[in-house]
C-alpha cells in the first residue's frame, strides 16, 4: 500500500535537512576550493558553447578547445592591459572625490532644513545628517581599505585565477565523461531529464547573461563618453555587469544617479535617463532573442530565490556573490524537476 503524500513529505524533509547539514560541515573546511570548482565549472559551460560551434564547423575537439582557450586568454590579457588600468584610475579618482561629495550632501541637507523652517515644517535634521554623513564616511573608508587589501593580495588572487582557468580547461576537456559518470548515480528514468535540463539551463542562462552584460557595458560606455559623464567607464562597467544578477542593475543605476546628483543634479538625471534608455533597448530588443523564456520563473519567485541563494552561498562557504549568480538557474532546474516529479506521481488525464 502506498504511503500518504503528507507522510512521505514528513519523512523526506528531515532527511533532506540532515543531508544539507552534513554537506555544509564537509564543505566549510574546504573553502575556498568549492567556490573555485563552481566558478571553473561555470567558465567551462561558457567556453563549451564556442567549442561546440567550432566542432560543428569541422574542427577536432582538441583543436577547438585550444583555439577557444587561446582566444579567451588573449582577450583577458588585452582587458587587463587596456581596461583594468582605466577602471582602477577612475576608481581611485572617485575615492578621492568622495569627501567633497559628502560635503555637498551635507549642504543639500542644510538647504532642506532651511526650506522646512521657512514653511513651519519639521526641520530637525541635525542628528539625521550627522549620522548619515558618519555612516557614509565609514563606508567610504571601509571600501577604500577593502580595495587596497584586494589589490595588495595580488599573489593570492593570481593563484586562484590560475587554478580556476586550469580547472576550467580540464572540465572542458573531460566534461562529457564527468557528466556521464555523475549521471550513473541517478535513476535510469531521470538521467536524461536531469542532464539535459542542467546543461541547457546553465549554459543558456550564463551565456545569455554574459553577452547581455558585455553589450550593455559597451553601449553605456559609448553613451556616457558622448555625454561626458564623469567616471563614465567605471559606472558603465558596474551597471553592465550587475545584470548578471536580476534587478541588481536597476539598483546600481539608481545608486550611481543619486551619487552624481549630489554634486550636479543635471548630471544625475542625464545618467539616469541614458542608463534606462540603453537598458530598455537591451531588455526589449536583444534579450528576447538571446534567452527567450529560458527560465520559466515568475518575477516574484526571482525576488524570493535571490536572497535565499545569497544566504545559501554564505552557509555552504561559496560566498554571497556566487550564491546570487547560481540562485536563478538552480531554481529554474528545481522547478523543472518538481514539475516532472508531480506529473510522474500524479499523471493527468490522457
Amino acid at each position: 500500500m502506498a504511503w500518504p503524500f503528507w507522510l512521505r513529505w514528513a519523512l523526506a524533509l528531515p532527511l533532506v535537512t540532515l543531508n544539507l547539514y552534513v554537506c555544509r560541515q564537509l564543505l566549510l573546511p574546504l573553502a575556498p576550493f568549492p567556490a573555485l570548482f563552481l566558478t571553473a565549472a561555470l567558465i567551462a559551460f561558457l567556453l563549451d558553447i564556442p567549442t561546440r560551434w567550432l566542432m560543428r564547423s569541422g574542427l577536432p575537439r582538441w583543436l577547438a578547445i585550444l583555439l577557444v582557450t587561446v582566444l579567451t586568454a588573449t582577450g583577458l590579457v588585452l582587458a587587463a592591459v587596456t581596461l583594468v588600468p582605466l577602471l582602477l584610475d577612475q576608481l581611485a579618482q572617485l575615492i578621492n572625490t568622495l569627501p567633497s561629495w559628502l560635503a555637498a550632501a551635507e549642504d543639500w541637507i542644510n538647504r532642506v532644513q532651511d526650506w522646512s523652517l521657512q514653511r513651519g515644517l519639521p526641520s530637525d535634521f541635525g542628528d539625521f545628517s550627522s549620522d548619515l554623513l558618519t555612516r557614509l564616511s565609514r563606508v567610504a573608508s571601509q571600501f577604500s581599505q577593502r580595495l587596497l587589501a584586494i589589490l595588495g593580495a595580488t599573489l593570492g588572487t593570481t593563484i586562484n585565477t590560475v587554478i580556476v582557468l586550469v580547472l576550467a580547461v580540464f572540465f572542458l576537456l573531460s566534461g562529457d565523461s564527468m557528466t556521464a559518470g555523475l549521471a550513473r548515480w541517478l535513476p535510469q528514468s531521470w538521467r536524461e531529464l536531469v542532464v539535459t535540463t542542467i546543461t541547457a539551463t546553465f549554459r543558456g542562462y550564463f551565456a545569455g547573461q554574459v553577452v547581455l552584460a558585455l553589450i550593455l557595458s559597451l553601449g553605456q560606455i559609448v553613451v556616457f563618453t558622448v555625454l561626458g559623464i564623469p567616471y563614465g567607464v567605471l559606472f558603465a562597467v558596474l551597471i553592465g555587469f550587475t545584470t548578471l544578477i536580476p534587478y541588481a542593475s536597476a539598483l546600481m543605476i539608481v545608486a550611481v544617479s543619486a551619487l552624481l546628483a549630489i554634486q550636479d543634479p543635471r548630471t544625475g538625471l542625464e545618467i539616469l535617463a541614458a542608463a534606462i534608455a540603453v537598458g530598455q533597448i537591451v531588455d526589449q530588443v536583444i534579450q528576447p532573442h538571446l534567452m527567450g523564456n529560458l527560465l520559466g520563473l515568475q518575477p516574484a519567485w526571482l525576488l524570493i530565490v535571490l536572497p535565499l541563494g545569497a544566504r545559501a552561498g554564505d552557509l555552504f562557504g561559496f560566498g554571497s556573490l556566487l550564491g546570487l549568480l547560481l540562485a536563478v538557474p538552480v531554481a529554474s532546474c528545481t522547478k523543472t524537476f518538481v514539475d516532472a516529479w508531480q506529473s510522474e506521481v500524479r499523471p493527468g488525464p490522457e
Side-chain angles (χ1 to χ4, degrees), residues 40-56 61-62 64-69 72 168-177 179 195 198-200 202-204 206-207:
L42 295 179
I43 294 175
F45 266 115
L46 296 176
L47 296 181
D48 188 57
I49 297 173
T51 300
R52 291 182 181 274
W53 181 78
L54 291 174
M55 289 173 60
R56 286 195 295 268
R61 182 171 177 81
W62 68 269
I65 292 176
L66 179 61
L67 286 176
V68 169
T69 304
T72 303
V169 173
F170 275 106
F171 287 159
L172 195 60
L173 289 169
S174 57
D176 293 338
S177 60
T179 302
V195 173
I198 292 178
T199 303
F202 275 79
R203 184 182 295 151
F206 282 105

mmCIF file of all heavy atoms in Angstrom, residues 40-56 61-62 64-69 72 168-177 179 195 198-200 202-204 206-207:
data_model
loop_
_atom_site.group_PDB
_atom_site.id
_atom_site.type_symbol
_atom_site.label_atom_id
_atom_site.label_comp_id
_atom_site.label_asym_id
_atom_site.label_seq_id
_atom_site.Cartn_x
_atom_site.Cartn_y
_atom_site.Cartn_z
ATOM 1 N N ALA A 40 35.009 27.518 -11.918
ATOM 2 C CA ALA A 40 35.617 26.867 -13.081
ATOM 3 C C ALA A 40 34.580 26.125 -13.910
ATOM 4 O O ALA A 40 34.638 26.127 -15.150
ATOM 5 C CB ALA A 40 36.704 25.901 -12.612
ATOM 6 N N ALA A 41 33.612 25.491 -13.248
ATOM 7 C CA ALA A 41 32.559 24.790 -13.987
ATOM 8 C C ALA A 41 31.709 25.764 -14.802
ATOM 9 O O ALA A 41 31.340 25.470 -15.953
ATOM 10 C CB ALA A 41 31.682 24.000 -13.013
ATOM 11 N N LEU A 42 31.408 26.935 -14.230
ATOM 12 C CA LEU A 42 30.632 27.937 -14.971
ATOM 13 C C LEU A 42 31.418 28.449 -16.179
ATOM 14 O O LEU A 42 30.849 28.639 -17.264
ATOM 15 C CB LEU A 42 30.262 29.093 -14.046
ATOM 16 C CG LEU A 42 29.310 28.762 -12.888
ATOM 17 C CD1 LEU A 42 29.054 30.002 -12.048
ATOM 18 C CD2 LEU A 42 28.011 28.209 -13.418
ATOM 19 N N ILE A 43 32.706 28.686 -15.996
ATOM 20 C CA ILE A 43 33.531 29.133 -17.125
ATOM 21 C C ILE A 43 33.581 28.050 -18.206
ATOM 22 O O ILE A 43 33.529 28.340 -19.411
ATOM 23 C CB ILE A 43 34.942 29.503 -16.639
ATOM 24 C CG1 ILE A 43 34.879 30.726 -15.712
ATOM 25 C CG2 ILE A 43 35.871 29.783 -17.818
ATOM 26 C CD1 ILE A 43 36.200 31.083 -15.084
ATOM 27 N N ALA A 44 33.679 26.782 -17.776
ATOM 28 C CA ALA A 44 33.685 25.689 -18.746
ATOM 29 C C ALA A 44 32.369 25.618 -19.514
ATOM 30 O O ALA A 44 32.358 25.338 -20.717
ATOM 31 C CB ALA A 44 33.953 24.369 -18.031
ATOM 32 N N PHE A 45 31.248 25.881 -18.828
ATOM 33 C CA PHE A 45 29.957 25.936 -19.515
ATOM 34 C C PHE A 45 29.980 26.987 -20.623
ATOM 35 O O PHE A 45 29.492 26.759 -21.740
ATOM 36 C CB PHE A 45 28.844 26.262 -18.517
ATOM 37 C CG PHE A 45 28.154 25.045 -17.964
ATOM 38 C CD1 PHE A 45 28.259 24.738 -16.621
ATOM 39 C CD2 PHE A 45 27.400 24.221 -18.778
ATOM 40 C CE1 PHE A 45 27.630 23.617 -16.109
ATOM 41 C CE2 PHE A 45 26.762 23.105 -18.281
ATOM 42 C CZ PHE A 45 26.873 22.791 -16.934
ATOM 43 N N LEU A 46 30.549 28.154 -20.302
ATOM 44 C CA LEU A 46 30.588 29.240 -21.287
ATOM 45 C C LEU A 46 31.525 28.915 -22.447
ATOM 46 O O LEU A 46 31.199 29.156 -23.609
ATOM 47 C CB LEU A 46 31.020 30.537 -20.607
ATOM 48 C CG LEU A 46 30.080 31.097 -19.536
ATOM 49 C CD1 LEU A 46 30.684 32.326 -18.890
ATOM 50 C CD2 LEU A 46 28.727 31.438 -20.148
ATOM 51 N N LEU A 47 32.693 28.361 -22.139
ATOM 52 C CA LEU A 47 33.662 28.063 -23.197
ATOM 53 C C LEU A 47 33.218 26.886 -24.052
ATOM 54 O O LEU A 47 33.689 26.736 -25.194
ATOM 55 C CB LEU A 47 35.033 27.759 -22.577
ATOM 56 C CG LEU A 47 35.706 28.904 -21.811
ATOM 57 C CD1 LEU A 47 37.063 28.460 -21.289
ATOM 58 C CD2 LEU A 47 35.856 30.131 -22.680
ATOM 59 N N ASP A 48 32.325 26.065 -23.522
ATOM 60 C CA ASP A 48 31.865 24.919 -24.297
ATOM 61 C C ASP A 48 31.003 25.334 -25.488
ATOM 62 O O ASP A 48 30.918 24.612 -26.488
ATOM 63 C CB ASP A 48 31.069 23.987 -23.381
ATOM 64 C CG ASP A 48 30.725 22.676 -24.064
ATOM 65 O OD1 ASP A 48 31.651 21.980 -24.515
ATOM 66 O OD2 ASP A 48 29.524 22.342 -24.150
ATOM 67 N N ILE A 49 30.364 26.519 -25.390
ATOM 68 C CA ILE A 49 29.491 26.972 -26.481
ATOM 69 C C ILE A 49 30.298 27.261 -27.755
ATOM 70 O O ILE A 49 29.998 26.704 -28.820
ATOM 71 C CB ILE A 49 28.681 28.192 -26.031
ATOM 72 C CG1 ILE A 49 27.767 27.811 -24.862
ATOM 73 C CG2 ILE A 49 27.862 28.755 -27.184
ATOM 74 C CD1 ILE A 49 27.047 28.978 -24.249
ATOM 75 N N PRO A 50 31.337 28.133 -27.717
ATOM 76 C CA PRO A 50 32.130 28.315 -28.954
ATOM 77 C C PRO A 50 32.892 27.055 -29.362
ATOM 78 O O PRO A 50 33.149 26.850 -30.551
ATOM 79 C CB PRO A 50 33.082 29.464 -28.604
ATOM 80 C CG PRO A 50 33.157 29.480 -27.123
ATOM 81 C CD PRO A 50 31.814 29.036 -26.645
ATOM 82 N N THR A 51 33.245 26.203 -28.381
ATOM 83 C CA THR A 51 33.931 24.954 -28.724
ATOM 84 C C THR A 51 33.045 24.063 -29.586
ATOM 85 O O THR A 51 33.480 23.510 -30.605
ATOM 86 C CB THR A 51 34.345 24.209 -27.445
ATOM 87 O OG1 THR A 51 35.227 25.033 -26.666
ATOM 88 C CG2 THR A 51 35.065 22.915 -27.781
ATOM 89 N N ARG A 52 31.793 23.913 -29.187
ATOM 90 C CA ARG A 52 30.871 23.077 -29.971
ATOM 91 C C ARG A 52 30.584 23.707 -31.337
ATOM 92 O O ARG A 52 30.383 22.996 -32.329
ATOM 93 C CB ARG A 52 29.580 22.862 -29.200
ATOM 94 C CG ARG A 52 29.757 21.990 -27.961
ATOM 95 C CD ARG A 52 28.442 21.745 -27.236
ATOM 96 N NE ARG A 52 28.653 20.933 -26.051
ATOM 97 C CZ ARG A 52 28.677 19.610 -26.045
ATOM 98 N NH1 ARG A 52 28.499 18.941 -27.186
ATOM 99 N NH2 ARG A 52 28.877 18.938 -24.935
ATOM 100 N N TRP A 53 30.547 25.022 -31.392
ATOM 101 C CA TRP A 53 30.337 25.688 -32.684
ATOM 102 C C TRP A 53 31.498 25.414 -33.640
ATOM 103 O O TRP A 53 31.289 25.151 -34.829
ATOM 104 C CB TRP A 53 30.174 27.186 -32.463
ATOM 105 C CG TRP A 53 29.931 27.952 -33.721
ATOM 106 C CD1 TRP A 53 28.760 28.053 -34.427
ATOM 107 C CD2 TRP A 53 30.906 28.703 -34.459
ATOM 108 N NE1 TRP A 53 28.935 28.832 -35.547
ATOM 109 C CE2 TRP A 53 30.237 29.245 -35.593
ATOM 110 C CE3 TRP A 53 32.253 28.983 -34.269
ATOM 111 C CZ2 TRP A 53 30.891 30.048 -36.519
ATOM 112 C CZ3 TRP A 53 32.907 29.776 -35.194
ATOM 113 C CH2 TRP A 53 32.229 30.294 -36.302
ATOM 114 N N LEU A 54 32.738 25.468 -33.111
ATOM 115 C CA LEU A 54 33.896 25.169 -33.948
ATOM 116 C C LEU A 54 33.917 23.699 -34.357
ATOM 117 O O LEU A 54 34.323 23.364 -35.481
ATOM 118 C CB LEU A 54 35.183 25.523 -33.197
ATOM 119 C CG LEU A 54 35.445 27.016 -32.966
ATOM 120 C CD1 LEU A 54 36.675 27.218 -32.092
ATOM 121 C CD2 LEU A 54 35.613 27.748 -34.290
ATOM 122 N N MET A 55 33.462 22.822 -33.454
ATOM 123 C CA MET A 55 33.420 21.400 -33.802
ATOM 124 C C MET A 55 32.402 21.139 -34.914
ATOM 125 O O MET A 55 32.634 20.303 -35.794
ATOM 126 C CB MET A 55 33.069 20.575 -32.560
ATOM 127 C CG MET A 55 34.176 20.522 -31.518
ATOM 128 S SD MET A 55 33.646 19.720 -29.981
ATOM 129 C CE MET A 55 33.206 18.091 -30.587
ATOM 130 N N ARG A 56 31.277 21.851 -34.884
ATOM 131 C CA ARG A 56 30.303 21.697 -35.964
ATOM 132 C C ARG A 56 30.846 22.225 -37.294
ATOM 133 O O ARG A 56 30.370 21.831 -38.362
ATOM 134 C CB ARG A 56 29.007 22.423 -35.604
ATOM 135 C CG ARG A 56 28.173 21.697 -34.550
ATOM 136 C CD ARG A 56 26.770 22.253 -34.504
ATOM 137 N NE ARG A 56 26.757 23.648 -34.067
ATOM 138 C CZ ARG A 56 26.617 24.035 -32.811
ATOM 139 N NH1 ARG A 56 26.481 23.118 -31.845
ATOM 140 N NH2 ARG A 56 26.593 25.317 -32.495
ATOM 141 N N ARG A 61 37.936 18.183 -31.641
ATOM 142 C CA ARG A 61 37.629 18.788 -30.351
ATOM 143 C C ARG A 61 38.862 19.410 -29.702
ATOM 144 O O ARG A 61 38.787 20.501 -29.136
ATOM 145 C CB ARG A 61 37.007 17.742 -29.419
ATOM 146 C CG ARG A 61 36.617 18.301 -28.057
ATOM 147 C CD ARG A 61 35.819 17.320 -27.230
ATOM 148 N NE ARG A 61 35.531 17.861 -25.917
ATOM 149 C CZ ARG A 61 34.533 18.714 -25.656
ATOM 150 N NH1 ARG A 61 33.749 19.112 -26.623
ATOM 151 N NH2 ARG A 61 34.340 19.159 -24.437
ATOM 152 N N TRP A 62 39.995 18.719 -29.779
ATOM 153 C CA TRP A 62 41.182 19.251 -29.109
ATOM 154 C C TRP A 62 41.614 20.584 -29.725
ATOM 155 O O TRP A 62 42.037 21.497 -29.018
ATOM 156 C CB TRP A 62 42.331 18.237 -29.173
ATOM 157 C CG TRP A 62 42.878 18.005 -30.567
ATOM 158 C CD1 TRP A 62 42.483 17.075 -31.471
ATOM 159 C CD2 TRP A 62 43.937 18.751 -31.194
ATOM 160 N NE1 TRP A 62 43.207 17.175 -32.632
ATOM 161 C CE2 TRP A 62 44.118 18.196 -32.488
ATOM 162 C CE3 TRP A 62 44.737 19.824 -30.795
ATOM 163 C CZ2 TRP A 62 45.070 18.681 -33.380
ATOM 164 C CZ3 TRP A 62 45.684 20.304 -31.678
ATOM 165 C CH2 TRP A 62 45.844 19.744 -32.948
ATOM 166 N N ALA A 64 39.595 22.705 -31.336
ATOM 167 C CA ALA A 64 38.590 23.707 -30.978
ATOM 168 C C ALA A 64 38.821 24.220 -29.560
ATOM 169 O O ALA A 64 38.747 25.436 -29.304
ATOM 170 C CB ALA A 64 37.191 23.102 -31.100
ATOM 171 N N ILE A 65 39.118 23.311 -28.637
ATOM 172 C CA ILE A 65 39.388 23.733 -27.253
ATOM 173 C C ILE A 65 40.634 24.606 -27.195
ATOM 174 O O ILE A 65 40.678 25.618 -26.476
ATOM 175 C CB ILE A 65 39.537 22.497 -26.351
ATOM 176 C CG1 ILE A 65 38.192 21.774 -26.221
ATOM 177 C CG2 ILE A 65 40.062 22.885 -24.970
ATOM 178 C CD1 ILE A 65 38.270 20.488 -25.436
ATOM 179 N N LEU A 66 41.669 24.243 -27.963
ATOM 180 C CA LEU A 66 42.907 25.032 -27.973
ATOM 181 C C LEU A 66 42.642 26.438 -28.492
ATOM 182 O O LEU A 66 43.101 27.437 -27.905
ATOM 183 C CB LEU A 66 43.953 24.331 -28.831
ATOM 184 C CG LEU A 66 45.308 25.042 -28.968
ATOM 185 C CD1 LEU A 66 45.973 25.185 -27.604
ATOM 186 C CD2 LEU A 66 46.211 24.292 -29.937
ATOM 187 N N LEU A 67 41.885 26.566 -29.582
ATOM 188 C CA LEU A 67 41.591 27.882 -30.140
ATOM 189 C C LEU A 67 40.771 28.729 -29.170
ATOM 190 O O LEU A 67 41.055 29.916 -28.965
ATOM 191 C CB LEU A 67 40.845 27.729 -31.470
ATOM 192 C CG LEU A 67 41.672 27.265 -32.671
ATOM 193 C CD1 LEU A 67 40.770 27.072 -33.887
ATOM 194 C CD2 LEU A 67 42.774 28.268 -32.972
ATOM 195 N N VAL A 68 39.750 28.121 -28.562
ATOM 196 C CA VAL A 68 38.910 28.872 -27.615
ATOM 197 C C VAL A 68 39.728 29.307 -26.412
ATOM 198 O O VAL A 68 39.595 30.447 -25.937
ATOM 199 C CB VAL A 68 37.710 28.008 -27.189
ATOM 200 C CG1 VAL A 68 36.968 28.649 -26.022
ATOM 201 C CG2 VAL A 68 36.757 27.805 -28.357
ATOM 202 N N THR A 69 40.579 28.433 -25.904
ATOM 203 C CA THR A 69 41.400 28.778 -24.739
ATOM 204 C C THR A 69 42.370 29.913 -25.067
ATOM 205 O O THR A 69 42.532 30.862 -24.281
ATOM 206 C CB THR A 69 42.181 27.542 -24.263
ATOM 207 O OG1 THR A 69 41.263 26.474 -23.995
ATOM 208 C CG2 THR A 69 42.971 27.858 -23.011
ATOM 209 N N THR A 72 40.425 33.178 -25.491
ATOM 210 C CA THR A 72 39.962 33.667 -24.185
ATOM 211 C C THR A 72 41.109 34.278 -23.384
ATOM 212 O O THR A 72 40.970 35.358 -22.798
ATOM 213 C CB THR A 72 39.318 32.527 -23.389
ATOM 214 O OG1 THR A 72 38.249 31.964 -24.148
ATOM 215 C CG2 THR A 72 38.784 33.029 -22.062
ATOM 216 N N ALA A 168 38.973 24.995 -15.395
ATOM 217 C CA ALA A 168 38.002 25.174 -16.480
ATOM 218 C C ALA A 168 38.438 24.432 -17.741
ATOM 219 O O ALA A 168 37.613 23.807 -18.422
ATOM 220 C CB ALA A 168 37.827 26.665 -16.772
ATOM 221 N N VAL A 169 39.734 24.477 -18.060
ATOM 222 C CA VAL A 169 40.228 23.756 -19.240
ATOM 223 C C VAL A 169 40.064 22.252 -19.049
ATOM 224 O O VAL A 169 39.634 21.533 -19.976
ATOM 225 C CB VAL A 169 41.696 24.124 -19.504
ATOM 226 C CG1 VAL A 169 42.275 23.257 -20.619
ATOM 227 C CG2 VAL A 169 41.815 25.595 -19.886
ATOM 228 N N PHE A 170 40.374 21.733 -17.847
ATOM 229 C CA PHE A 170 40.202 20.302 -17.594
ATOM 230 C C PHE A 170 38.731 19.900 -17.666
ATOM 231 O O PHE A 170 38.392 18.844 -18.206
ATOM 232 C CB PHE A 170 40.786 19.932 -16.229
ATOM 233 C CG PHE A 170 42.261 19.657 -16.263
ATOM 234 C CD1 PHE A 170 43.171 20.560 -15.744
ATOM 235 C CD2 PHE A 170 42.751 18.486 -16.834
ATOM 236 C CE1 PHE A 170 44.525 20.321 -15.774
ATOM 237 C CE2 PHE A 170 44.111 18.225 -16.868
ATOM 238 C CZ PHE A 170 45.009 19.143 -16.349
ATOM 239 N N PHE A 171 37.847 20.733 -17.103
ATOM 240 C CA PHE A 171 36.415 20.451 -17.204
ATOM 241 C C PHE A 171 35.960 20.462 -18.660
ATOM 242 O O PHE A 171 35.104 19.677 -19.066
ATOM 243 C CB PHE A 171 35.619 21.476 -16.406
ATOM 244 C CG PHE A 171 35.721 21.302 -14.917
ATOM 245 C CD1 PHE A 171 35.443 22.361 -14.069
ATOM 246 C CD2 PHE A 171 36.104 20.103 -14.368
ATOM 247 C CE1 PHE A 171 35.540 22.215 -12.695
ATOM 248 C CE2 PHE A 171 36.216 19.931 -12.995
ATOM 249 C CZ PHE A 171 35.929 20.996 -12.153
ATOM 250 N N LEU A 172 36.532 21.371 -19.446
ATOM 251 C CA LEU A 172 36.177 21.451 -20.854
ATOM 252 C C LEU A 172 36.641 20.212 -21.612
ATOM 253 O O LEU A 172 35.943 19.704 -22.503
ATOM 254 C CB LEU A 172 36.788 22.710 -21.460
ATOM 255 C CG LEU A 172 36.270 23.188 -22.813
ATOM 256 C CD1 LEU A 172 34.774 23.493 -22.733
ATOM 257 C CD2 LEU A 172 37.027 24.435 -23.242
ATOM 258 N N LEU A 173 37.824 19.690 -21.247
ATOM 259 C CA LEU A 173 38.359 18.512 -21.921
ATOM 260 C C LEU A 173 37.597 17.246 -21.559
ATOM 261 O O LEU A 173 37.334 16.399 -22.422
ATOM 262 C CB LEU A 173 39.843 18.338 -21.577
ATOM 263 C CG LEU A 173 40.820 19.350 -22.187
ATOM 264 C CD1 LEU A 173 42.194 19.225 -21.558
ATOM 265 C CD2 LEU A 173 40.914 19.147 -23.690
ATOM 266 N N SER A 174 37.236 17.116 -20.292
ATOM 267 C CA SER A 174 36.617 15.863 -19.826
ATOM 268 C C SER A 174 35.207 16.062 -19.314
ATOM 269 O O SER A 174 34.737 15.286 -18.491
ATOM 270 C CB SER A 174 37.481 15.244 -18.722
ATOM 271 O OG SER A 174 37.657 16.162 -17.648
ATOM 272 N N GLY A 175 34.535 17.127 -19.777
ATOM 273 C CA GLY A 175 33.212 17.427 -19.254
ATOM 274 C C GLY A 175 32.191 16.356 -19.565
ATOM 275 O O GLY A 175 31.383 15.966 -18.702
ATOM 276 N N ASP A 176 32.213 15.813 -20.794
ATOM 277 C CA ASP A 176 31.223 14.806 -21.173
ATOM 278 C C ASP A 176 31.381 13.529 -20.347
ATOM 279 O O ASP A 176 30.391 12.951 -19.883
ATOM 280 C CB ASP A 176 31.347 14.479 -22.662
ATOM 281 C CG ASP A 176 30.950 15.650 -23.539
ATOM 282 O OD1 ASP A 176 30.197 16.526 -23.047
ATOM 283 O OD2 ASP A 176 31.401 15.713 -24.698
ATOM 284 N N SER A 177 32.611 13.079 -20.159
ATOM 285 C CA SER A 177 32.828 11.852 -19.378
ATOM 286 C C SER A 177 32.486 12.065 -17.910
ATOM 287 O O SER A 177 31.924 11.160 -17.257
ATOM 288 C CB SER A 177 34.282 11.396 -19.523
ATOM 289 O OG SER A 177 35.171 12.399 -19.048
ATOM 290 N N THR A 179 30.235 14.207 -16.754
ATOM 291 C CA THR A 179 28.778 14.264 -16.681
ATOM 292 C C THR A 179 28.168 12.872 -16.759
ATOM 293 O O THR A 179 27.238 12.538 -16.004
ATOM 294 C CB THR A 179 28.236 15.139 -17.829
ATOM 295 O OG1 THR A 179 28.812 16.440 -17.741
ATOM 296 C CG2 THR A 179 26.728 15.252 -17.748
ATOM 297 N N VAL A 195 20.294 15.669 -16.827
ATOM 298 C CA VAL A 195 21.467 16.138 -17.579
ATOM 299 C C VAL A 195 21.073 17.194 -18.600
ATOM 300 O O VAL A 195 21.718 18.253 -18.719
ATOM 301 C CB VAL A 195 22.163 14.945 -18.257
ATOM 302 C CG1 VAL A 195 23.281 15.444 -19.170
ATOM 303 C CG2 VAL A 195 22.722 13.990 -17.215
ATOM 304 N N ILE A 198 19.921 20.591 -16.700
ATOM 305 C CA ILE A 198 21.026 21.337 -16.080
ATOM 306 C C ILE A 198 21.933 21.932 -17.155
ATOM 307 O O ILE A 198 22.317 23.109 -17.086
ATOM 308 C CB ILE A 198 21.821 20.419 -15.132
ATOM 309 C CG1 ILE A 198 20.969 20.048 -13.911
ATOM 310 C CG2 ILE A 198 23.113 21.098 -14.689
ATOM 311 C CD1 ILE A 198 21.647 19.103 -12.957
ATOM 312 N N THR A 199 22.276 21.142 -18.159
ATOM 313 C CA THR A 199 23.167 21.632 -19.214
ATOM 314 C C THR A 199 22.546 22.800 -19.970
ATOM 315 O O THR A 199 23.172 23.856 -20.153
ATOM 316 C CB THR A 199 23.509 20.499 -20.183
ATOM 317 O OG1 THR A 199 24.095 19.412 -19.453
ATOM 318 C CG2 THR A 199 24.482 20.985 -21.240
ATOM 319 N N ALA A 200 21.292 22.616 -20.411
ATOM 320 C CA ALA A 200 20.648 23.668 -21.198
ATOM 321 C C ALA A 200 20.410 24.927 -20.378
ATOM 322 O O ALA A 200 20.642 26.049 -20.855
ATOM 323 C CB ALA A 200 19.325 23.147 -21.761
ATOM 324 N N PHE A 202 21.913 26.069 -17.431
ATOM 325 C CA PHE A 202 23.118 26.784 -17.010
ATOM 326 C C PHE A 202 23.857 27.379 -18.208
ATOM 327 O O PHE A 202 24.287 28.529 -18.165
ATOM 328 C CB PHE A 202 24.043 25.836 -16.240
ATOM 329 C CG PHE A 202 23.707 25.722 -14.786
ATOM 330 C CD1 PHE A 202 22.659 24.926 -14.368
ATOM 331 C CD2 PHE A 202 24.420 26.421 -13.839
ATOM 332 C CE1 PHE A 202 22.337 24.814 -13.030
ATOM 333 C CE2 PHE A 202 24.111 26.325 -12.489
ATOM 334 C CZ PHE A 202 23.058 25.515 -12.086
ATOM 335 N N ARG A 203 23.976 26.588 -19.282
ATOM 336 C CA ARG A 203 24.688 27.095 -20.448
ATOM 337 C C ARG A 203 23.944 28.274 -21.068
ATOM 338 O O ARG A 203 24.525 29.324 -21.356
ATOM 339 C CB ARG A 203 24.868 25.983 -21.470
ATOM 340 C CG ARG A 203 25.678 26.393 -22.694
ATOM 341 C CD ARG A 203 25.763 25.230 -23.663
ATOM 342 N NE ARG A 203 26.519 24.137 -23.071
ATOM 343 C CZ ARG A 203 26.333 22.853 -23.375
ATOM 344 N NH1 ARG A 203 25.385 22.510 -24.232
ATOM 345 N NH2 ARG A 203 27.080 21.923 -22.814
ATOM 346 N N GLY A 204 22.641 28.121 -21.247
ATOM 347 C CA GLY A 204 21.877 29.199 -21.863
ATOM 348 C C GLY A 204 21.787 30.428 -20.990
ATOM 349 O O GLY A 204 21.924 31.554 -21.471
ATOM 350 N N PHE A 206 23.808 31.537 -18.377
ATOM 351 C CA PHE A 206 25.043 32.294 -18.163
ATOM 352 C C PHE A 206 25.609 32.829 -19.471
ATOM 353 O O PHE A 206 26.173 33.929 -19.488
ATOM 354 C CB PHE A 206 26.077 31.425 -17.447
ATOM 355 C CG PHE A 206 25.822 31.287 -15.981
ATOM 356 C CD1 PHE A 206 25.305 30.119 -15.461
ATOM 357 C CD2 PHE A 206 26.051 32.338 -15.112
ATOM 358 C CE1 PHE A 206 25.048 29.996 -14.113
ATOM 359 C CE2 PHE A 206 25.799 32.222 -13.758
ATOM 360 C CZ PHE A 206 25.289 31.046 -13.259
ATOM 361 N N ALA A 207 25.455 32.096 -20.564
ATOM 362 C CA ALA A 207 25.909 32.638 -21.846
ATOM 363 C C ALA A 207 25.105 33.875 -22.214
ATOM 364 O O ALA A 207 25.662 34.900 -22.624
ATOM 365 C CB ALA A 207 25.776 31.575 -22.941
#
